[in-house]
């Protein structure tokens, strides 16, 4: 069969017509336990829902297909994927993450793994020499996030994959801001791709989830599987069902969101109260050329911008928005705005906007 388009995979991958009823929409299997055969085996492949479940299996098949990967694991949240990957390291192992990584990763490293014998270095991964210099003989994992949250830095995935291969380290790309619509990390040589599926995949601000898709069998993926099944960080059958339902419209939602974000970024760039706009789709973005090459399906729908006049002026902008809601998160039908420096407490970027499917740019206060 010819390779299927993303739109087709989003609707069909992992699904089948229910053999018992002919139902076209997928049923939800809430049962936590499944009947053994007379021989004590599980003839249909399901035993206990923490280990696997028909809804999770369908979701994982679809997630793998969307990324062009070999296999996927679905988790209860995006940070559960991060936790699983770090748990998979051995004592004495070293990992490298971007200096502008989603702040939750730093929090997990510091608070959950603070006393574990693993070490994480943070480097500016847009500087490949800095990445090379950070590699040690014990480096096992290179975590890359592009575009990054919140500065929208763009990292060269093919170059990072090559550097990691030479160092015998596994790469994981947090591609949450890009989605498989915009960016294809596995095709660029990255070993595994993760998403907070809470964002674009769920797309309606009502599901928490995470995914890890691998291009090939590897030790860290197997450790992540253990962490999922026996650590128990699994999504419920209902969440799996709802996520798979939402994925049907993922390509179309993302394309609309990206178009809105581009308009908003262009508008903000011309506004006299705005000091700087961070959006890889703008020619003014320092890595626009790389983004145009690497993000083959668009530039994502997240942007951040800096307002002239300091903190109060900045908070004032968020305070006066209409239609755009003051709330954290991204990727849903709702456009959200957040004063990120207040959340993270240290970075210079005052605002972050996720452009939802609703047109928001004309409502933005001038
Ligand atoms: N990665 C990125 C880029 C994020 O923005 C987030 C959350 O905002 C996460 C990971 C964590 O995902 P979750 O909130 O689903 O745990």
């Amino acid at each position: 069969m010819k390779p299927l388009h993303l739109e087709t995979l989003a609707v069909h991958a992992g699904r089948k017509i229910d053999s018992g009823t002919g139902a076209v929409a997928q049923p939800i299997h809430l049962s936590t336990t499944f009947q053994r055969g007379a021989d004590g085996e599980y003839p249909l492949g399901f035993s206990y829902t923490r280990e696997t479940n028909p809804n999770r299996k369908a979701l994982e098949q679809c997630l793998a297909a969307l990324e062009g990967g070999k296999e996927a694991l679905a988790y209860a949240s995006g940070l559960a994927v991060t936790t699983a990957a770090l748990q998979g390291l051995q004592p004495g192992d070293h990992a490298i993450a971007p200096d502008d990584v989603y702040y939750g990763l730093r929090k997990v490293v510091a608070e959950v793994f603070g006393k574990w014998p693993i070490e994480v270095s943070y480097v500016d991964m847009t500087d490949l020499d800095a990445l090379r210099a950070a590699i040690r003989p014990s480096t096992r994992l290179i975590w890359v996030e592009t575009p990054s949250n919140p500065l929208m830095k763009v990292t060269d995935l093919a170059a990072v994959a090559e550097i990691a291969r030479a160092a015998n380290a596994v790469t994981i790309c947090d591609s949450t801001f890009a989605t498989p619509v915009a960016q294809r990390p596995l095709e660029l040589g990255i070993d595994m791709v993760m998403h907070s599926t809470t964002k674009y995949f769920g797309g309606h601000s009502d599901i928490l989830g995470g995914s890890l898709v691998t291009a090939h069998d590897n030790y860290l993926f197997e450790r992540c599987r253990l962490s999922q099944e026996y650590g128990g960080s699994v999504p419920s059958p209902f969440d799996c069902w709802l996520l798979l339902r939402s994925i049907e419209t993922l390509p179309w939602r993302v394309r609309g969101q990206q178009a809105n974000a581009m308009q908003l970024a262009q508008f903000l760039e011309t506004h006299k109260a705005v000091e700087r706009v961070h959006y890889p789709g703008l020619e003014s973005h320092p890595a626009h050329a790389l983004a145009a090459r690497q993000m083959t399906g668009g530039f994502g729908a997240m942007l951040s911008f800096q307002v002239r006049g300091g903190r109060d002026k900045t908070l004032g902008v968020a305070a006066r928005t209409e239609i755009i809601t003051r709330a954290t998160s991204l990727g849903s039908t709702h456009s959200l705005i957040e004063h990120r420096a207040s959340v993270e407490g240290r970075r210079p970027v005052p605002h972050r906007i996720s452009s939802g499917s609703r047109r928001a740019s004309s409502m933005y206060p001038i």
Side-chain angles (χ1 to χ4, degrees), residues 104-255:
L105 181 141
R106 281 182 185 263
K107 198 102 179 134
V108 170
V109 168
E111 309 290 342
V112 179
F113 292 94
K115 293 191 175 148
W116 285 41
I118 57 171
E119 232 187 298
V120 181
S121 309
Y122 299 96
V123 303
D124 178 359
M125 284 207 195
T126 63
D127 178 351
L128 297 173
D129 287 333
L131 174 60
R132 283 189 197 95
I135 290 175
R136 306 176 190 173
S138 59
T139 304
R140 290 281 73 83
L141 169 65
I142 298 181
W143 183 281
V144 48
E145 181 182 309
T146 183
S148 67
N149 177 358
L151 287 172
M152 308 300 300
K153 285 189 185 179
V154 175
T155 299
D156 187 334
L157 289 173
V160 170
E162 202 178 312
I163 292 168
R165 247 192 320 277
N168 203 22
V170 169
T171 42
I172 298 182
C173 172
D174 182 340
S175 197
T176 298
F177 272 29
T179 79
V181 180
Q183 179 169 278
R184 319 281 308 162
L186 302 187
E187 290 168 17
L188 297 169
I190 294 291
D191 296 306
M192 300 195 263
V193 58
M194 71 81 61
H195 291 276
S196 164
T197 52
T198 313
K199 316 302 179 189
Y200 293 96
F201 283 70
H204 298 74
S205 307
D206 54 12
I207 316 165
L208 200 68
S211 67
L212 181 69
V213 179
T214 188
H216 52 87
D217 294 334
N218 68 81
Y219 170 80
L220 194 58
F221 186 78
E222 287 313 313
R223 302 287 303 173
C224 289
R225 192 198 306 280
L226 281 176
S227 170
Q228 181 213 37
E229 287 183 20
Y230 294 98
S233 51
V234 290
S236 71
F238 177 73
D239 282 355
C240 293
W241 176 88
L242 189 56
L243 193 52
L244 198 57
R245 208 280 303 258
S246 299
I247 286 172
E248 291 182 13
T249 55
L250 176 74
W252 305 105
R253 280 188 280 109
V254 169
R255 289 194 191 111

Side-chain angles (χ1 to χ4, degrees), residues 254-298:
V254 169
R255 289 194 191 111
Q257 288 166 307
Q258 290 183 153
N260 283 353
M262 181 63 104
Q263 279 192 31
L264 204 49
Q266 286 167 341
F267 162 74
L268 287 169
E269 201 172 35
T270 61
H271 199 291
K272 61 182 187 318
V274 174
E275 197 173 307
R276 194 157 164 212
V277 183
H278 306 263
Y279 184 63
L282 293 177
E283 281 178 21
S284 58
H285 188 283
H288 174 68
L290 168 62
R293 236 180 18 250
Q294 177 166 282
M295 302 183 75
T296 47

